[in-house]
Amino acid sequence: MINKKMQQALNEQINHEIGSAYLYLSMAAYFGSAGFDGMAQWMHMQAHEEYAHAMRFFNHILERDGKVELLALTKPKIKWATPLAVFQDTYKHEKFISSKIHALVELASKEKDHAAGILLQWFVTEQVEEEATASKILQMLERVGDSGNGMFMLDRELGTRTITTGTEEK
Ligand code: FEO
């Protein structure tokens, strides 16, 4: 059975992951209305992935006879000046999520919760990938600058992203 401290912290992480999905959905809406359909697709896929992350914590709590408690979501940002500004926020947000995962790793270690520790190891690796991906897209946007052709190509490339739920073996 999961202890109360760990349970509360994992419930809060469910909220952060669903909150991430909500933020990325808001970014998808921005891209959709700004005519960047490829980037909108990329953000939709990212939102799906975040939902899958939340479900990993959700299932872990239930499997250990804990209680899932869904918390209130805050309204995400809805406006950005440019696609570059969106991905700056994405990268910043992923760094924030990494800090939350690292704090959970420390808590699991302090509470001697080895089961949560194993679950969290997957997330440590996942966050390295999440940050790297956001950083790479950010760099590409910086390189493209004001080039309409470059933006067109990048939008098309990002639109090829298909669903990855984060539940596959990695
Ligand atoms: Fe679930 Fe993008 O961190």
Side-chain angles (χ1 to χ4, degrees):
M1 184 154 183
I2 192 163
N3 81 21
K4 293 279 177 233
K5 245 189 208 170
M6 205 68 222
Q7 176 178 291
Q8 188 188 334
L10 294 188
N11 271 315
E12 283 166 12
Q13 192 61 28
I14 291 174
N15 187 261
H16 290 310
E17 301 291 348
I18 296 280
S20 301
Y22 215 34
L23 173 64
Y24 294 138
L25 200 55
S26 187
M27 291 175 172
Y30 159 78
F31 280 130
S33 64
F36 294 104
D37 291 350
M39 293 186 201
Q41 160 74 3
W42 193 94
M43 283 298 172
H44 271 294
M45 295 300 101
Q46 187 68 16
H48 276 289
E49 197 169 294
E50 298 302 350
Y51 178 78
H53 290 173
M55 287 307 104
R56 280 183 177 244
F57 290 112
F58 184 103
N59 292 331
H60 182 83
I61 294 171
L62 292 182
E63 277 164 14
R64 297 180 64 200
D65 285 335
K67 192 171 181 313
V68 168
E69 190 180 340
L70 298 179
L71 307 170
L73 292 170
T74 50
K75 183 180 174 178
K77 190 170 166 178
I78 56 167
K79 261 195 199 161
W80 288 267
T82 59
L84 179 73
V86 181
F87 276 95
Q88 280 169 339
D89 278 0
T90 301
Y91 186 39
K92 198 169 122 196
H93 184 72
E94 286 304 331
K95 286 198 277 192
F96 164 73
I97 295 295
S98 295
S99 74
K100 292 290 168 192
I101 296 293
H102 298 161
L104 286 172
V105 170
E106 279 167 36
L107 180 65
S109 166
K110 193 168 149 250
E111 297 296 316
K112 297 186 172 35
D113 187 335
H114 305 301
I118 288 168
L119 172 75
L120 288 161
Q121 284 312 305
W122 183 89
F123 279 95
V124 171
T125 309
E126 176 70 4
Q127 281 311 120
V128 171
E129 197 181 297
E130 294 268 86
E131 282 190 37
T133 303
S135 169
K136 194 175 148 203
I137 296 171
L138 193 51
Q139 279 173 6
M140 287 194 281
L141 279 165
E142 281 165 352
R143 212 175 306 138
V144 162
D146 292 332
S147 157
N149 198 38
M151 281 302 272
F152 175 79
M153 299 292 283
L154 186 55
D155 189 55
R156 202 164 66 172
E157 188 189 327
L158 292 177
T160 61
R161 180 175 181 185
T162 51
I163 196 147
T164 51
T165 60
T167 53
E168 300 84 4
E169 287 298 315
K170 294 206 175 181

